[in-house]
Amino acid sequence: MGVGTSTFVTRWINFLTMLLAIAVIIFGVWISTQHDGCRKSLTVPLISLGAVIFLISIVGFLGALKNSSILLWIYLIMLFIVLVGILVFTVMVFIVTNNGLGHTVKGLRYKEYQLQDYSSWFIKELNNSRNWERLRGCLVKAEHCNNLSKKYKTLTQYKSAKLTPIEAGCCRPPSQCGYPAVNASYYDLTFHPVSSNIDCKRYKNSRATKCYDCDSCKAGVAKYMKTEWRVAAIFNVVLFVILCIIYFVGCCARRNAARSRSKC
């Protein structure tokens, strides 16, 4: 890569990422003003992410602008640490989310998930009372269960519906309990459960209770997290490749800066 080209590319890439970092920080500040506690929990991660991106970008930008070998060395070291972090996180995500398949419920379109099918890390985190209370509160506020009666007006529509993992795990008792469904939001609990599954006793028709304390609900959340994390992992792979290219260009810019200094 030419002497001026690598420096020019490094400068403008980091200028653009600085703007992106500022946008992330502003979004994090905006999130902090919201009344939703679930969204506000994203404030610190977003602002921290924006600050890290801004710090790395400004070092790279100044290094390329001033043709400073020292600043570009610092920039490359920080970028290398980010690359290692992305790689480690992505590998761990694929390991943690490698299991946990749902079983199809006979005669119905949704699948049910069991918490014990997931990794020990998922089980530990979801069984942590503090973590689950926070997640539980977010689930109740999101009204996944309350919206079912609006989406499916009749019992026939409900039984033929393809429920999401959270809807199937948190909004209804496990099918093995044998409770007859009256409609999309109400089950006849006068029937004696045909299963000894503790979730059969945990389920209540109350909008604030449902099956939010059930292991099946935690399994549904685990499935949702697994899917989202897999998407994030794929995004990380793409990001890793892009950052590797940027790192290569930065190396060229650093080498060119060192040559320029040696000629002076």
Side-chain angles (χ1 to χ4, degrees):
M1 187 172 286
V3 175
T5 304
S6 59
T7 303
F8 175 82
V9 172
T10 301
R11 182 165 64 243
W12 280 101
I13 284 177
N14 284 283
F15 176 75
L16 294 175
T17 52
M18 272 195 293
L19 296 180
L20 174 64
I22 293 172
V24 171
I25 293 173
I26 292 175
F27 183 65
V29 173
W30 177 79
I31 285 287
S32 68
T33 63
Q34 303 302 298
H35 298 295
D36 189 341
C38 301
R39 289 185 178 179
K40 289 179 71 173
S41 63
L42 297 174
T43 299
V44 174
L46 282 173
I47 293 178
S48 300
L49 175 64
V52 170
I53 295 174
F54 184 81
L55 176 62
I56 295 175
S57 299
I58 198 169
V59 172
F61 177 78
L62 291 176
L65 182 66
K66 297 180 178 296
N67 211 26
S68 171
S69 179
I70 296 176
L71 286 177
L72 288 172
W73 261 119
I74 296 173
Y75 167 70
L76 290 174
I77 291 172
M78 290 191 293
L79 194 57
F80 179 77
I81 293 173
V82 171
L83 284 170
V84 172
I86 291 175
L87 183 62
V88 171
F89 175 76
T90 303
V91 171
M92 289 186 63
V93 165
F94 278 113
I95 292 174
V96 169
T97 61
N98 195 39
N99 51 10
L101 295 175
H103 63 276
T104 304
V105 180
K106 186 177 181 180
L108 300 175
R109 292 184 62 189
Y110 59 78
K111 289 184 177 181
E112 290 185 342
Y113 304 88
Q114 296 181 345
L115 187 59
Q116 61 268 25
D117 290 340
Y118 290 87
S119 68
S120 57
W121 184 87
F122 266 122
I123 296 174
K124 179 182 177 182
E125 292 300 311
L126 291 173
N127 280 332
N128 181 292
S129 57
R130 182 189 301 177
N131 292 344
W132 185 247
E133 280 302 313
R134 179 171 56 83
L135 286 171
R136 186 187 188 283
C138 292
L139 290 172
V140 174
K141 287 181 179 179
E143 296 192 331
H144 292 284
C145 300
N146 296 339
N147 290 330
L148 286 179
S149 58
K150 300 176 183 177
K151 291 167 62 177
Y152 310 112
K153 303 296 185 181
T154 67
L155 187 58
T156 302
Q157 289 178 336
Y158 176 58
K159 287 186 175 182
S160 63
K162 189 175 182 179
L163 302 181
T164 66
I166 291 179
E167 290 172 343
C170 305
C171 304
R172 48 169 305 283
S175 57
Q176 60 185 268
C177 298
Y179 293 134
V182 177
N183 53 47
S185 61
Y186 190 87
Y187 282 79
D188 189 346
L189 303 183
T190 60
F191 279 69
H192 183 75
V194 296
S195 172
S196 59
N197 189 337
I198 188 64
D199 285 354
C200 297
K201 295 182 179 179
R202 289 171 175 164
Y203 176 82
K204 297 291 184 293
N205 285 314
S206 168
R207 298 178 64 172
T209 306
K210 291 296 182 180
C211 216
Y212 292 125
D213 294 320
C214 299
D215 286 343
S216 63
C217 185
K218 294 178 181 178
V221 171
K223 171 60 180 177
Y224 173 80
M225 292 173 64
K226 173 183 174 179
T227 303
E228 293 297 306
W229 282 24
R230 280 292 177 91
V231 174
I234 294 172
F235 172 79
N236 281 346
V237 171
V238 176
L239 179 62
F240 182 82
V241 173
I242 294 174
L243 289 180
C244 282
I245 296 172
I246 294 174
Y247 184 83
F248 170 74
V249 175
C251 286
C252 293
R254 197 276 316 160
R255 187 161 52 249
N256 294 333
R259 289 174 181 172
S260 298
R261 292 290 179 181
S262 63
K263 290 179 181 179
C264 295

